Amino acid sequence: MTMMTPQPLDQQEDEEMLVPHSDLVEGPQPLVEGPQPMEVAPADNDNAGSVENQANEEPQASRFTWTIENFSRLNMKKLYSDVFTVGGYKWRVLIFPKGNNVDFLSMYLDVADSATLPYGWSRYAQFSLAVVNQMHNKLTVKKDTQHQFNQRESDWGFTSFMPLSDLYDPNKGYLMNDTCLVEADVAVRKVIDYWAYDSKKETGYVGLKNQGATCYMNSLLQTLYHIPYFRKAVYHMPTTENDIPTGSIPLALQSLFYKLQYNDTSVATKELTKSFGWDTYDSFMQHDVQELNRVLCEKLEDKMKGTVVEGTIQKLFEGHHMNYIECINVDFKSTRKESFYDLQLDVKGCKDVYASFDKYVEVECLEGDNKYHAEEHGLQDAKKGVLFIDFPPVLQLQLKRFEYDFMRDTMVKINDRYEFPLELDLDRDNGKYLSPDADRSVRNLYTLHSVLVHSGGVHGGHYYAFIRPTLTDQWYKFDDERVTKEDVKRALEEQYGGEEELPQTNPGYNNTPFKFTKYSNAYMLVYIRVSDKDKIICDVDEKDIAEHLRIRLKKEQEEKEDKRRYKAQAHLYTIIKVARDEDLREQIGKDIYFDLVDHDKVRNFRIQKQMPFNLFKEEVAKELGIPVQFQRFWIWAKRQNHTYRPNRPLTPQEEAQTVGTLREVSNKAHNAELKLFLEVERGPDLQLVPPPEKIKEDILLFFKLYDPHKEELRYVGRLFVKSTGKPLEILMKLNELAGFASDQEIELFEEIKFEPSVMCERLDKRASFRFSQIEDGDIICFQKWPPPEADEQVRFPDVPSYLEYVKNRQIVHFRALERPKEDEFCLELAKNHTYDDVVERVAQHLSLDDPSKIRLTPHNCYSQQPKPNPIKYRSVDHLIDMLVHYNQVISDILYYEVLDIPLPELQCLKTLKVAFHHATKDEATILNIRLPKPSTVGDVLNEIKTKVELSQPNAELRLLEVFYHKIYKIFPTHEKIENINDQYWTLRAEEIPEEEKNLGQHDRLIHVYHFTKETAQNQVQVQNFGEPFFLVIHEGETLAEVKARIQKKLQVPDEEFSKWKFAFLSLGRPEYLEDSDIVSTRFQRRDVYGAWEQYLGLEHSDTTPKRSYNASQNRHTFEKPVKIYN
């Protein structure tokens, strides 16, 4: 479930900040704070979610009035009211008359019987608390909030409710005759038992699992699924049994819809999001439903081309409208037909859907300065508007709940009341929304199919949908995994938004209604045309689903059921992992070097706990071909030094026990595994022989052989030795195991531990095993002796040095920073290498004399990109510090640069990447300007003058900040360069044209940008490109005159320039200009938000090659649009 975000700023003016609080907090508390728990542990956010998520059924509301006499003489720290009942629950008000460690009255609503309620209880209430002003009712202090009460938070309210100075002032009217009146308005909704609830059983439908922040997608997918004609078309998209759902959107959507139709439990969406090409990061980014709807429909439309279902998206969702401009005084009319898949309707200033449609087709008069330039008639008064040619069978209405607030320079959510009807008649008032070309025989009467709701604020929240799948009176709420039955009031009226007023069931003193803003409201509406209802709400059954898909999904279902059954029966079974000599030979020196075996790679048996161990031995005999009499099992034990070794053989008494009992004896961790070592002995002829009797004196040792020339460690076998014996006595046997001559001199080392560091010590061959503290399961490594001479070019001459190397070795993949996707080379380094060691090895590989010219940048394991900041000179101690990401993940990638000066010198300088634009040449020159950090922009410009050719020796330069093809800033020459960031913005230097230096009183310097328009489903998006520039415009200058100057400045050929269009753009909306228009009249406002958002736009095709992201650019700095990549 998606966590709720705080209310948008526009709704928080009278609210206070939520701060957890308890009686235990000492010292001054913040004066501004909001609803809080009192005397509780910190809040547990696991249940965070929208109120709509938790509550169900009609609220039951009541007002409780508490009269407190002799208030100023109260000397207790806290005081409870009498108990009152609302919604079948017992409540009371708790106050701190002298404040809860603050100079404010503290007041909370408390669950009166919390101490006696059953474990796991929960209840939800919306409530207000008030101190009545008995002189002037309108001065009553009242605060409202809402809360999910539970064992951890059995009270909630306001620590700083009102200043004690106001409360106790007899002239303020809160205490009359030393009596205080407290009021509590409480509205309770019953809470569904989330865990016990079965959506399929209760409603016949199942929900979709939330991947982190995918509730917006879930609500849209449920809406599309419940349009049967759409679902049938998806089923009929051609897919094959060889397709993989994660790589095929059609198959993933078919699979999802099939599961929604036939599963008994909620369905996961991971396959579908993977087919979109999304990673986990995308799944945790909350996107816009409208945007996802358009992108998904476009993608499906494309995938349906050339198939039997081609055109389905258009048939269902595509309508057409006509944009027209009609002259009033001459016979001239211009029209343009456009298609749409959804309509965006205004909410602000509109009381309902009809008012929004009225606004949509509102006629705009073009007159005065805004006259229309008609081709042969010059400037004319005209009417401009939109009328609908046809509406689609499925009408998707996107409600503009989010708007930009210019006063606050931020996006805000519009929570105003906005009504929408169950039946929508778009033929009303004699078809006033229809164009003259519209087919009047089609009846545009629609019935509501689904309501998508957003609950929360502008920066996030929760999405869910109310749908009536068969258009009956029964509505259903699809809220991620949970589906509930709802009535029409919940689906419609309660989603209108606005303020809610709870009914008063207990009217009393100061009977003011209890109101609160509703943050849950409709965001998208789907209507179905009544005349198309039977065609769209059609039957979809198994015959619509390809056989290979049915087989695949049924098999998946069976596998899932097997896994569920396996899990359900897991408590009856034990997994026994049996390691043998063969496993040790296979793994040591390849998969592992320390200890003896990786238990996850050995043979395992799933055995019922009740089976006697002796019977299990028969299973082993059958499986491994080793008769029972030749088997001896050893129990493994974890030692204090974190090694894991065979500890002792099982006794006959233990082997008579059940497997389950034995597991509990051997494993204190109580996991379901029993790990054993199977000892099998062979005679000289390699035939199996019974294991020798083991007495207390006998010790089982394991041996590894090291070859320093091959740098190879391998397992060679095991031996029993006597504790009183000495290593000298087994040297010939070890030479035999190694294949050496019997008199070969060898040296022995004991492998003691490897965490946190390696401990491997020479074993005294003349001391007894007991004296050397050797015991069962110990590992002895040996090698030929004496070790190789230094001149033999052997890196690790003995066992300890080799094991030290293995423990610390690290293969690092180095990538050039400017090519961050490709491995350039790999080096084998050690985790304990110093900073100097690492850069020396890199410099050596690159044949570079000065290692201090190497600069390294660490890797971000999550974004799979270089981190923004490189590693400073000697700022880390060891290689491991360069590779650790957020103290846990170890990366194996580093990025390198070869600098032209040593890194310590560079760190005292600031480097800026500046694009210099010559006054007459097309190509920009990229300069790396390097100056001491305290330098100014003026110093940068002087440095540039020394590096470039100027149009004249005295030319003045300026430095601009350019971002996404717009100019955002001209840097003052005195600004310090240390804080200028060239990582995300482009810095551009250019000569200041002479005409700009001598601006007349009425001249204006305007921004000029190139743009193209992209139209997607009636949504016009302006895309800027190319190099932006400034232009001086003079008073009274026409567009034709400005165009001539622009053409000369940009040196565009006549033929190409004739295709260019010119528009005045404000906040992305183009208003096209005619040659006779006076340009300066459009640029009168000087208080516009951000000069870069009001500009003269040059519309023409973008022929510049697309550029990929800069290597060092962080792609996640700005919110990503919804993209489906496959």
Side-chain angles (χ1 to χ4, degrees):
M1 194 165 62
T2 311
M3 287 179 65
M4 286 289 288
T5 57
Q7 299 163 4
L9 291 172
D10 58 325
Q11 300 294 347
Q12 277 188 331
E13 289 164 352
D14 302 320
E15 287 295 323
E16 301 177 81
M17 199 170 73
L18 280 161
V19 186
H21 179 65
S22 88
D23 207 10
L24 305 172
V25 176
E26 295 178 2
Q29 298 300 309
L31 296 183
V32 179
E33 52 188 335
Q36 304 167 355
M38 197 290 304
E39 299 186 300
V40 292
D44 182 353
N45 276 337
D46 288 351
N47 295 324
S50 78
V51 166
E52 291 289 336
N53 253 0
Q54 304 292 342
N56 195 33
E57 300 178 11
E58 284 301 303
Q60 298 172 50
S62 185
R63 170 170 288 167
F64 169 72
T65 303
W66 182 15
T67 304
I68 312 171
E69 297 175 347
N70 302 318
F71 192 85
S72 61
R73 293 202 288 278
L74 294 172
N75 59 10
M76 63 274 292
K77 187 180 180 188
K78 58 185 177 182
L79 182 68
Y80 287 99
S81 72
D82 292 338
V83 173
F84 59 97
T85 302
V86 183
Y89 296 136
K90 292 178 180 177
W91 306 91
R92 58 185 175 178
V93 176
L94 164 62
I95 66 164
F96 286 68
K98 300 292 190 288
N100 186 3
N101 297 322
V102 288
D103 294 327
F104 285 74
L105 174 71
S106 304
M107 183 152 56
Y108 310 88
L109 181 65
D110 178 57
V111 176
D113 53 350
S114 60
T116 60
L117 289 172
Y119 176 79
W121 68 271
S122 176
R123 66 183 63 164
Y124 162 74
Q126 289 167 307
F127 62 94
S128 73
L129 299 171
V131 173
V132 176
N133 190 300
Q134 298 164 55
M135 287 167 58
H136 302 289
N137 192 34
K138 66 179 185 190
L139 297 178
T140 291
V141 178
K142 182 177 181 179
K143 296 188 177 183
D144 57 66
T145 184
Q146 56 203 27
H147 186 57
Q148 185 80 37
F149 292 86
N150 53 45
Q151 274 173 313
R152 292 169 68 97
E153 293 175 357
S154 60
D155 49 44
W156 191 257
F158 306 88
T159 299
S160 301
F161 184 80
M162 66 179 292
L164 294 175
S165 55
D166 288 351
L167 177 63
Y168 285 97
D169 185 339
N171 300 316
K172 293 281 178 78
Y174 297 107
L175 292 183
M176 296 287 282
N177 300 321
D178 207 17
T179 298
C180 180
L181 288 177
V182 171
E183 287 185 346
D185 286 294
V186 182
V188 175
R189 275 198 171 115
K190 293 283 193 295
V191 178
I192 289 175
D193 181 352
Y194 184 88
W195 300 108
Y197 187 78
D198 184 335
S199 293
K200 185 81 166 191
K201 186 175 160 190
E202 299 292 334
T203 65
Y205 299 104
V206 296
L208 290 167
K209 290 176 180 167
N210 192 328
Q211 288 185 47
T214 53
C215 52
Y216 71 99
M217 180 181 72
N218 290 352
S219 57
L220 177 66
L221 290 172
Q222 289 282 14
T223 304
L224 293 172
Y225 167 81
H226 286 292
I227 300 172
Y229 189 93
F230 179 86
R231 191 191 330 158
K232 193 184 273 255
V234 167
Y235 282 152
H236 283 270
M237 291 174 78
T239 53
T240 72
E241 59 265 34
N242 298 323
D243 290 350
I244 302 165
T246 52
S248 159
I249 293 174
L251 183 58
L253 203 53
Q254 287 172 349
S255 171
L256 184 85
F257 281 4
Y258 181 91
K259 289 170 186 173
L260 280 175
Q261 196 162 343
Y262 294 106
N263 267 25
D264 290 328
T265 55
S266 56
V267 179
T269 55
K270 272 195 178 165
E271 267 185 1
L272 182 66
T273 55
K274 280 188 177 169
S275 78
F276 290 171
W278 290 4
D279 56 18
T280 310
Y281 177 85
D282 292 290
S283 300
F284 277 89
M285 281 286 285
Q286 193 168 84
H287 291 299
D288 180 67
V289 170
Q290 302 171 2
E291 197 181 356
L292 177 66
N293 188 23
R294 285 192 205 104
V295 174
L296 180 59
C297 284
E298 276 178 5
K299 194 59 72 171
L300 286 173
E301 188 181 335
D302 186 49
K303 303 275 185 190
M304 287 177 175
K305 280 180 184 161
T307 75
V308 290
V309 288
E310 183 173 358
T312 298
I313 301 293
Q314 292 96 317
K315 275 182 213 159
L316 279 176
F317 304 117
E318 187 176 52
H320 299 88
H321 53 43
M322 176 187 79
N323 294 299
Y324 68 87
I325 299 178
E326 187 173 4
C327 293
I328 295 169
N329 302 317
V330 297
D331 184 18
F332 183 87
K333 185 174 183 178
S334 166
T335 62
R336 188 172 75 253
K337 179 180 176 180
E338 286 188 355
S339 67
F340 63 86
Y341 281 6
D342 56 36
L343 293 173
Q344 292 221 355
L345 300 185
D346 282 327
V347 171
K348 191 82 173 166
C350 298
K351 75 179 182 69
D352 59 14
V353 171
Y354 288 122
S356 296
F357 268 99
D358 291 346
K359 194 170 177 183
Y360 206 97
V361 300
E362 211 169 50
V363 176
E364 181 188 349
C365 290
L366 306 178
E367 55 194 13
D369 288 343
N370 198 24
K371 285 186 177 183
Y372 174 66
H373 188 271
E375 287 168 7
E376 294 162 13
H377 305 282
L379 292 173
Q380 293 289 332
D381 291 342
K383 294 184 299 182
K384 177 183 177 184
V386 176
L387 287 170
F388 290 92
I389 299 167
D390 56 62
F391 291 104
V394 179
L395 180 63
Q396 300 182 106
L397 303 179
Q398 309 280 4
L399 308 183
K400 287 157 81 172
R401 284 278 180 197
F402 295 95
E403 285 194 356
Y404 188 80
D405 185 326
F406 290 92
M407 299 299 288
R408 295 183 183 181
D409 184 17
T410 186
M411 290 295 287
V412 294
K413 185 179 177 194
I414 311 298
N415 288 304
D416 299 357
R417 182 178 176 84
Y418 180 88
E419 298 177 9
F420 45 91
L422 196 58
E423 287 220 323
L424 178 68
D425 188 354
L426 294 178
D427 290 333
R428 70 197 285 257
D429 294 353
N430 201 26
K432 66 176 178 180
Y433 305 132
L434 300 173
S435 73
D437 305 339
D439 183 352
R440 301 284 172 141
S441 68
V442 176
R443 179 76 177 95
N444 291 305
L445 180 66
Y446 286 83
T447 187
L448 186 61
H449 172 265
S450 43
V451 179
L452 275 73
V453 175
H454 178 264
S455 173
V458 70
H459 297 298
H462 187 59
Y463 291 90
Y464 45 94
F466 291 94
I467 303 172
R468 48 178 189 152
T470 54
L471 300 180
T472 61
D473 292 338
Q474 182 61 65
W475 285 84
Y476 297 89
K477 179 181 173 187
F478 292 84
D479 185 352
D480 285 340
E481 297 188 39
R482 190 171 68 221
V483 186
T484 51
K485 287 184 177 180
E486 305 290 350
D487 61 21
V488 68
K489 182 170 182 282
R490 283 278 277 158
L492 271 72
E493 290 171 45
E494 292 195 19
Q495 309 315 321
Y496 289 165
E499 286 191 325
E500 183 166 357
E501 188 175 302
L502 295 174
Q504 299 300 323
T505 56
N506 183 19
Y509 186 84
N510 182 25
N511 193 19
T512 49
F514 175 26
K515 289 185 176 180
F516 61 91
T517 302
K518 298 172 69 176
Y519 298 108
S520 301
N521 34 53
Y523 179 66
M524 176 176 163
L525 306 171
V526 178
Y527 282 93
I528 289 178
R529 189 154 49 205
V530 173
S531 57
D532 293 311
K533 182 172 74 172
D534 293 338
K535 186 172 76 179
I536 290 165
I537 309 296
C538 55
D539 289 330
V540 184
D541 51 34
E542 284 221 341
K543 70 175 183 297
D544 292 302
I545 301 161
E547 188 184 4
H548 77 84
L549 185 66
R550 290 204 304 271
I551 292 167
R552 178 200 290 258
L553 294 172
K554 278 180 180 165
K555 187 180 173 193
E556 263 181 40
Q557 202 57 33
E558 285 164 10
E559 285 171 1
K560 194 175 170 186
E561 189 55 34
D562 287 345
K563 274 186 187 170
R564 189 199 62 75
R565 208 178 297 115
Y566 184 94
K567 213 170 174 180
Q569 295 174 352
H571 66 287
L572 302 173
Y573 288 84
T574 289
I575 303 295
I576 302 182
K577 296 188 171 180
V578 177
R580 301 187 290 155
D581 275 332
E582 288 84 343
D583 298 308
L584 276 58
R585 276 198 187 87
E586 182 62 35
Q587 292 186 25
I588 291 171
K590 299 186 189 75
D591 302 332
I592 63 163
Y593 293 85
F594 301 100
D595 269 354
L596 293 170
V597 76
D598 178 350
H599 291 273
D600 290 334
K601 295 180 179 173
V602 303
R603 185 64 184 268
N604 60 65
F605 299 81
R606 187 170 186 251
I607 303 295
Q608 280 195 336
K609 287 180 180 175
Q610 296 308 311
M611 178 187 279
F613 190 81
N614 284 319
L615 279 182
F616 162 68
K617 290 174 79 171
E618 291 178 16
E619 287 280 314
V620 173
K622 262 189 281 181
E623 289 287 322
L624 302 180
I626 300 166
V628 171
Q629 67 269 30
F630 300 128
Q631 301 174 17
R632 177 157 66 193
F633 287 93
W634 290 64
I635 283 182
W636 293 79
K638 188 165 191 175
R639 297 181 176 179
Q640 283 185 329
N641 64 11
H642 305 293
T643 57
Y644 205 60
R645 308 285 175 80
N647 185 41
R648 61 175 179 81
L650 289 178
T651 64
Q653 293 84 346
E654 286 173 329
E655 292 194 354
Q657 294 175 350
T658 63
V659 165
T661 311
L662 197 55
R663 178 188 63 84
E664 287 163 18
V665 169
S666 76
N667 193 340
K668 294 189 177 87
H670 287 293
N671 61 21
E673 291 181 356
L674 172 60
K675 292 173 183 165
L676 299 172
F677 175 70
L678 173 56
E679 177 198 347
V680 177
E681 297 294 340
R682 295 184 183 272
D685 54 359
L686 298 182
Q687 292 298 310
L688 292 172
V689 296
E693 183 186 349
K694 180 183 186 303
I695 58 173
K696 195 176 177 184
E697 278 279 290
D698 294 329
I699 301 174
L700 178 64
L701 298 181
F702 293 83
F703 295 91
K704 298 178 185 177
L705 173 66
Y706 174 56
D707 182 337
H709 293 98
K710 294 181 181 175
E711 289 184 10
E712 177 187 85
L713 186 72
R714 63 188 176 92
Y715 175 70
V716 289
R718 53 184 165 75
L719 295 173
F720 279 106
V721 300
K722 299 292 182 188
S723 62
T724 53
K726 297 175 183 176
L728 274 175
E729 296 160 11
I730 60 165
L731 295 183
M732 284 179 66
K733 187 65 182 167
L734 292 181
N735 279 330
E736 187 185 329
L737 287 176
F740 296 161
S742 59
D743 58 352
Q744 171 65 51
E745 189 178 345
I746 55 177
E747 193 63 38
L748 279 54
F749 301 85
E750 183 194 356
E751 180 190 315
I752 299 168
K753 64 168 189 167
F754 56 94
E755 288 294 350
S757 56
V758 173
M759 193 171 175
C760 181
E761 295 180 350
R762 187 172 298 181
L763 193 65
D764 186 345
K765 288 184 275 193
R766 291 177 173 75
S768 71
F769 289 107
R770 181 184 293 161
F771 181 82
S772 299
Q773 298 183 339
I774 300 296
E775 58 187 52
D776 279 320
D778 278 349
I779 300 170
I780 308 295
C781 302
F782 67 99
Q783 66 177 95
K784 287 183 180 178
W785 205 257
E789 296 295 330
D791 60 2
E792 285 190 54
Q793 301 290 307
V794 171
R795 294 196 301 166
F796 311 108
D798 57 22
V799 173
S801 61
Y802 178 71
L803 290 181
E804 189 70 37
Y805 152 71
V806 168
K807 168 74 176 166
N808 286 302
R809 73 175 158 187
Q810 176 70 51
I811 305 293
V812 180
H813 300 260
F814 285 90
R815 299 175 178 181
L817 189 64
E818 64 269 20
R819 292 183 298 280
K821 294 288 177 197
E822 308 159 23
D823 285 359
E824 293 266 327
F825 57 90
C826 294
L827 293 179
E828 186 185 272
L829 304 172
K831 292 182 183 126
N832 56 357
H833 269 166
T834 63
Y835 174 89
D836 287 353
D837 293 336
V838 175
V839 292
E840 274 171 29
R841 287 291 306 279
V842 174
Q844 192 181 333
H845 181 86
L846 297 171
S847 305
L848 188 69
D849 293 335
D850 186 355
S852 70
K853 289 184 179 178
I854 297 289
R855 180 163 68 176
L856 301 173
T857 299
H859 177 67
N860 184 322
C861 300
Y862 301 130
S863 68
Q864 294 297 311
Q865 292 182 9
K867 287 188 183 178
N869 299 315
I871 297 166
K872 292 185 176 174
Y873 182 71
R874 290 182 178 166
S875 64
V876 296
D877 293 329
H878 297 107
L879 173 65
I880 189 70
D881 304 315
M882 302 181 191
L883 301 178
V884 170
H885 185 57
Y886 294 127
N887 297 327
Q888 48 187 13
V889 184
I890 302 285
S891 159
D892 62 352
I893 295 169
L894 284 174
Y895 303 87
Y896 76 91
E897 300 163 88
V898 178
L899 306 171
D900 57 343
I901 61 172
L903 181 55
E905 282 179 44
L906 180 66
Q907 283 175 188
C908 299
L909 304 174
K910 170 81 174 179
T911 302
L912 291 178
K913 189 176 180 181
V914 180
F916 177 72
H917 288 246
H918 195 275
T920 54
K921 294 178 184 173
D922 286 345
E923 278 298 308
T925 307
I926 304 300
L927 305 170
N928 283 304
I929 304 297
R930 195 181 280 154
L931 291 170
K933 288 181 179 176
S935 305
T936 63
V937 168
D939 297 327
V940 172
L941 297 175
N942 289 334
E943 181 72 10
I944 290 172
K945 286 178 184 177
T946 67
K947 292 175 179 282
V948 298
E949 180 190 337
L950 300 173
S951 60
Q952 52 167 315
N954 298 325
E956 284 183 53
L957 301 186
R958 64 183 167 204
L959 187 68
L960 311 175
E961 179 183 273
V962 178
F963 182 62
Y964 278 90
H965 316 287
K966 292 180 180 179
I967 299 168
Y968 280 78
K969 180 176 180 178
I970 303 176
F971 287 98
T973 53
H974 58 77
E975 185 168 332
K976 291 271 192 289
I977 65 171
E978 191 165 0
N979 298 322
I980 294 178
N981 185 346
D982 63 348
Q983 191 172 3
Y984 302 121
W985 336 115
T986 300
L987 298 179
R988 183 170 108 192
E990 63 186 19
E991 291 184 26
I992 302 174
E994 287 302 315
E995 64 168 359
E996 289 186 30
K997 297 178 190 172
N998 306 304
L999 285 180
Q1001 185 181 350
H1002 300 292
D1003 292 344
R1004 295 292 302 276
L1005 187 64
I1006 66 168
H1007 292 239
V1008 185
Y1009 303 157
H1010 304 269
F1011 77 98
T1012 60
K1013 267 190 334 191
E1014 291 185 1
T1015 305
Q1017 301 179 4
N1018 196 36
Q1019 297 303 310
V1020 176
Q1021 288 186 323
V1022 167
Q1023 299 283 347
N1024 293 102
F1025 67 93
E1027 294 296 343
F1029 59 93
F1030 290 118
L1031 188 72
V1032 175
I1033 53 169
H1034 310 297
E1035 189 177 24
E1037 196 173 19
T1038 63
L1039 177 66
E1041 294 167 315
V1042 171
K1043 278 167 67 173
R1045 290 200 290 125
I1046 288 175
Q1047 184 178 6
K1048 184 181 176 186
K1049 179 181 176 71
L1050 300 180
Q1051 299 178 328
V1052 182
D1054 289 347
E1055 185 184 350
E1056 186 184 335
F1057 196 71
S1058 65
K1059 299 172 190 171
W1060 288 23
K1061 293 182 189 172
F1062 292 74
F1064 168 71
L1065 283 95
S1066 179
L1067 287 163
R1069 288 187 290 274
E1071 183 187 325
Y1072 288 92
L1073 304 176
E1074 303 294 337
D1075 279 359
S1076 56
D1077 286 346
I1078 306 299
V1079 178
S1080 58
T1081 60
R1082 295 295 194 280
F1083 291 91
Q1084 291 306 310
R1085 284 185 58 206
R1086 292 177 185 272
D1087 59 343
V1088 65
Y1089 159 72
W1092 57 85
E1093 290 299 1
Q1094 205 180 64
Y1095 59 89
L1096 180 63
L1098 318 179
E1099 184 183 2
H1100 59 99
S1101 57
D1102 178 8
T1103 54
T1104 56
K1106 297 291 179 284
R1107 223 179 65 187
S1108 62
Y1109 279 90
N1110 185 306
S1112 62
Q1113 190 164 324
N1114 184 342
R1115 299 182 62 173
H1116 301 313
T1117 309
F1118 310 98
E1119 186 176 339
K1120 293 164 64 175
V1122 179
K1123 286 198 177 161
I1124 295 178
Y1125 302 93
N1126 295 330

